[in-house]
Amino acid sequence: VGNKFFDPIASPGKLFNTGDETQLQLGDQRLGGNLVEVPVLGELLAEHGLSLATLSSGTPGGARMLNHKAESLGAFRFALHRPDASLPRETVLEMQKQLGPVPEHQIPSLDWLTYSTNAYLNFIEPELHPDVCILWFCEPDNSYHFRGLGSPENLEALHQADLEFGRILDWHRSRKKDQDLQIITLSDHGQLTVCGETINLKEGLEEAGLSVGEPPGNGVDVALTVDSAGGIYVRDSDPELIRFIVDWLQHQPWCGPVLTRTGEHSLKLEYAGLDHPRAPDIALVLKSDDSVNTHGIMGGCWNNSSFYPTGGGIHGGLHAMELKSWLAAGGDCFRSGHRSELSSGIIDILPTVLQVLKVPIPTHVQ
């Protein structure tokens, strides 16, 4: 999974970067409000008179996607990376008046965790009273990426995240019993350690005789969006060109699973849930293994991006350690002490929230 995809309408002239708040806003406008092709949580709640508030210390684009219809719904959406793009403006200004400005971003992002928790406890709950609130912590993800899994900075971030979550639990326990709150806590992925030298996929494809750039077409054979995993968009989705690239990839020492729509000499995109019109012509995962990093954490992989340092963390592939995540729920709607053996993930949160609130689950929800 990568954070970029090719959509010539949403992002003419370049790949569409879902981490960029401005690109998401413009892309949604160009697509007539259909960047996401089905109603999502904020819209489904609003249809039944319920409200969603979101606060994120993650990427600006990720913050927007948690509540991307906030403008039209009049909902609260706050991004620590982009207070200027947060909504509604009057509410945002009032919150910052009470809490102060967002602290300077650092790694580990300890102050951002505290600011996020303060915003939830001291403003969002008492002032906005949302029916659902999503509170997105940027740690331990930031320190995993840039300081390494199990590093002292990473452990400090984990400790701080636990402290801030503990503040929320202490507040919850202090409330009146008739004010029931359901809490779901989860991580969206695990991570691997970037091992060895960074490969240069662009250079390799160019040496194989292909032109690489953005977007594919008009003299550009392929567009790349690959870190430890991702995709290749091929000019005109040319079958012969796809076959050539698949064959070339499978002869590289760093190449892991390769997936295409047809599954010709590869796995099929549908096997990984990627069979979508915006999916790349070729999806690939770089090799990973069970090596142990300098801090004793298992799981390593190759990488195609210099953005993440060797020894840092990365995710997006198919190794068990990056697919495993944390999910727990508490409240009177959930069985106490129960552990489910069923496979589950972030995709299951939306229908769970809807069921708890007695909102009908649409047929498009898996």
Side-chain angles (χ1 to χ4, degrees):
V1 175
N3 290 330
K4 293 182 179 181
F5 61 82
F6 176 53
D7 188 314
I9 297 176
S11 183
K14 60 182 178 181
L15 293 177
F16 189 75
N17 182 2
T18 62
D20 188 308
E21 205 277 347
T22 302
Q23 282 198 42
L24 287 170
Q25 179 186 16
L26 294 175
D28 195 41
Q29 291 174 0
R30 293 181 181 125
L31 292 168
N34 294 316
L35 177 61
V36 180
E37 297 173 336
V38 294
V40 293
L41 181 60
E43 297 165 279
L44 296 172
L45 293 174
E47 288 175 4
H48 292 81
L50 302 173
S51 61
L52 170 67
T54 58
L55 184 144
S56 174
S57 52
T59 66
R64 184 179 184 87
M65 291 311 298
L66 291 176
N67 200 357
H68 81 293
K69 294 296 185 181
E71 289 91 339
S72 60
L73 297 174
F76 180 81
R77 181 183 70 224
F78 189 83
L80 272 71
H81 274 293
R82 289 290 304 274
D84 62 302
S86 301
L87 298 167
R89 291 306 305 158
E90 297 80 6
T91 307
V92 168
L93 292 173
E94 178 60 29
M95 187 183 81
Q96 291 193 288
K97 180 180 178 181
Q98 293 186 29
L99 301 179
V102 175
E104 179 183 356
H105 182 253
Q106 298 177 333
I107 300 176
S109 311
L110 309 183
D111 290 342
W112 274 32
L113 299 185
T114 300
Y115 190 92
S116 299
T117 307
N118 288 344
Y120 173 70
L121 294 177
N122 301 328
F123 186 83
I124 294 175
E125 276 292 341
E127 301 291 339
L128 304 181
H129 313 291
D131 296 291
V132 178
C133 179
I134 298 176
L135 181 61
W136 190 289
F137 283 171
C138 60
E139 289 287 10
D141 187 75
N142 280 352
S143 55
Y144 280 149
H145 278 307
F146 297 103
R147 299 296 183 266
L149 283 72
S151 67
E153 297 93 336
N154 174 230
L155 296 180
E156 185 179 17
L158 284 163
H159 179 66
Q160 188 69 29
D162 284 345
L163 287 176
E164 300 301 339
F165 185 55
R167 289 176 58 200
I168 294 173
L169 295 180
D170 288 343
W171 164 80
H172 176 45
R173 295 187 187 103
S174 70
R175 303 167 81 222
K176 295 179 181 178
K177 289 185 177 180
D178 61 349
Q179 293 178 308
D180 294 321
L181 181 70
Q182 315 302 317
I183 298 177
I184 301 174
T185 173
L186 70 152
S187 59
D188 53 341
H189 52 72
Q191 296 221 17
L192 299 177
T193 296
V194 176
C195 300
E197 295 182 10
T198 299
I199 71 166
N200 192 327
L201 182 54
K202 177 178 183 293
E203 185 178 278
L205 288 170
E206 288 174 339
E207 289 176 354
L210 303 176
S211 57
V212 182
E214 293 183 20
N218 296 321
V220 176
D221 292 320
V222 296
L224 302 177
T225 170
V226 179
D227 292 322
S228 64
I232 300 175
Y233 291 89
V234 177
R235 169 177 44 82
D236 301 324
S237 296
D238 184 306
E240 291 189 14
L241 197 50
I242 291 172
R243 281 192 290 269
F244 173 83
I245 296 170
V246 167
D247 181 69
W248 180 85
L249 288 169
Q250 291 173 337
H251 282 83
Q252 308 309 309
W254 39 258
C255 186
V258 177
L259 305 92
T260 64
R261 293 190 189 281
T262 64
E264 183 179 358
H265 303 300
S266 68
L267 299 171
K268 284 189 174 184
L269 288 173
E270 64 182 86
Y271 296 162
L274 290 175
D275 193 15
H276 186 275
R278 292 174 179 164
D281 296 293
I282 303 169
L284 72 149
V285 181
L286 305 191
K287 270 188 178 177
S288 60
D289 56 36
D290 294 336
S291 59
V292 176
N293 73 3
T294 55
H295 305 292
I297 307 298
M298 186 183 78
C301 65
W302 294 73
N303 181 32
N304 181 55
S305 170
S306 59
F307 185 68
Y308 300 117
T310 299
I314 200 167
H315 53 85
L318 297 172
H319 190 283
M321 296 304 292
E322 55 189 328
L323 295 178
K324 289 181 179 178
S325 59
W326 162 265
L327 173 61
D332 60 5
C333 290
F334 299 97
R335 284 177 285 181
S336 178
H338 176 73
R339 176 172 178 156
S340 173
E341 298 300 327
L342 294 175
S343 296
S344 61
I346 198 168
I347 195 172
D348 299 304
I349 301 302
L350 186 146
T352 301
V353 170
L354 296 181
Q355 182 168 338
V356 166
L357 293 173
K358 297 181 172 56
V359 173
I361 300 173
T363 56
H364 70 260
V365 174
Q366 296 181 18

